[in-house]
């Protein structure tokens, strides 16, 4: 699952790439972890939202606990009650420069970054909704990993071409949208680094 991605380009530059209006100034971008703000393209505009849908939990005595950010939605779970409405009515695009997976032994894990060749920014499939807990929030959609991910993880973000990105947000067909959720077939750039992997709260459903 993706629990870290990078988006360092200026918001107005990214908005121009996606053919939408530039957002109001905000603190989204940089290295984005679950719960952090990130840029999202939805309803014809780009805006800052929190990464992760709130999962409301209760303690042993029934007391409400701090909501957990569920930042990844598996394609085989998109019909579940937790995701269904957003999948049918809240599909969006997430601008990404690169996403990271952890590599190495426990306690000494490092970051391996994946990006799309010749694309400074690519579109990852996402879902979004308004929430009482986090305000506007989004999640990435995950599918089976392509061969470039290797043994690091069994899943990866759904990466969309420009034509597929338009279909993802415009189609009213669940079946067509699901057909776009497949491993990236065009190859990825892989950057193995010595950067320490930073553990962060993350969840998937």
């Amino acid at each position: 699952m993706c629990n870290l991605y990078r988006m360092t380009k200026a918001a107005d530059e990214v908005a121009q790439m996606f053919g939408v209006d530039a957002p109001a100034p905000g603190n989204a971008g940089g290295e984005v972890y679950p719960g952090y703000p990130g840029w999202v393209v939805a309803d014809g505009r780009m805006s800052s939202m929190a990464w992760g849908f709130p999962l409301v939990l209760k303690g042993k005595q029934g007391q409400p606990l701090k909501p957990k950010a569920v930042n990844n939605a598996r394609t085989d779970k998109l019909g579940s009650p937790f995701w269904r409405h957003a999948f049918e009515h809240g599909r969006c695009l997430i601008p990404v420069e690169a996403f990271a997976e952890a590599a190495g032994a426990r306690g000494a894990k490092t970051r391996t970054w994946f990006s799309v060749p010749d694309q400074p920014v690519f579109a990852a499939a996402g879902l979004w909704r308004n929430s009482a807990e986090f305000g506007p929030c989004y999640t990435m959609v995950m599918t089976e990993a392509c061969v470039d991910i290797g043994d690091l993880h069994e899943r990866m973000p759904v990466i969309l071409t420009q034509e597929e990105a338009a279909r993802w947000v415009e189609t009213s067909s669940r079946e067509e949208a699901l057909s776009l959720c497949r491993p990236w077939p065009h190859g990825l750039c892989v950057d193995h680094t010595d950067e320490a992997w930073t553990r962060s709260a993350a969840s998937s459903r």
Side-chain angles (χ1 to χ4, degrees):
M1 295 293 181
C2 178
N3 295 320
L4 169 63
Y5 72 92
R6 187 166 57 210
M7 171 44 60
T8 62
K9 296 190 178 302
D12 56 352
E13 181 182 359
V14 177
Q16 186 175 19
M17 291 178 183
F18 281 76
V20 296
D21 293 335
N27 62 346
E31 289 191 348
V32 185
Y33 292 90
Y36 281 34
W39 296 119
V40 176
V41 177
D43 293 338
R45 63 182 183 274
M46 194 167 86
S47 57
S48 173
M49 301 185 188
W51 187 18
F53 280 22
L55 177 63
V56 180
L57 304 171
K58 292 186 178 181
K60 293 181 179 179
Q61 306 301 321
Q63 73 277 21
L65 302 177
K66 182 179 178 180
K68 186 175 184 180
V70 183
N71 58 294
N72 292 316
R74 289 173 38 165
T75 53
D76 58 337
K77 302 292 186 180
L78 292 177
S80 70
F82 192 81
W83 299 119
R84 185 185 302 121
H85 187 269
F87 176 54
E88 294 178 352
H89 304 286
R91 292 191 296 274
C92 64
L93 303 175
I94 306 167
V96 176
E97 289 181 34
F99 65 93
E101 294 291 354
R106 178 174 298 192
K109 289 186 179 294
T110 58
R111 300 174 178 183
T112 295
W113 291 95
F114 299 90
S115 57
V116 176
D118 301 319
Q119 288 193 37
V121 175
F122 61 86
L127 311 175
W128 83 278
R129 69 176 178 88
N130 285 307
S131 71
E133 297 84 1
F134 299 160
C137 56
Y138 69 100
T139 186
M140 279 190 180
V141 177
M142 297 288 130
T143 189
E144 295 81 6
C146 66
V147 64
D148 298 290
I149 306 297
D151 297 328
L152 294 185
H153 210 288
E154 62 183 9
R155 293 186 179 274
M156 66 175 292
V158 172
I159 301 174
L160 303 168
T161 66
Q162 186 175 5
E163 182 270 335
E164 291 169 340
R167 290 167 55 199
W168 174 255
V169 297
E170 293 172 2
T171 184
S172 60
S173 167
R174 295 179 72 256
E175 290 72 21
E176 182 179 6
L178 280 173
S179 73
L180 300 173
C181 299
R182 79 286 180 267
W184 180 246
H186 306 298
L188 294 173
C189 294
V190 183
D191 180 19
H192 300 288
T193 77
D194 294 327
E195 301 170 17
W197 179 262
T198 303
R199 182 178 297 276
S200 60
S203 182
S204 64
R205 287 176 71 88

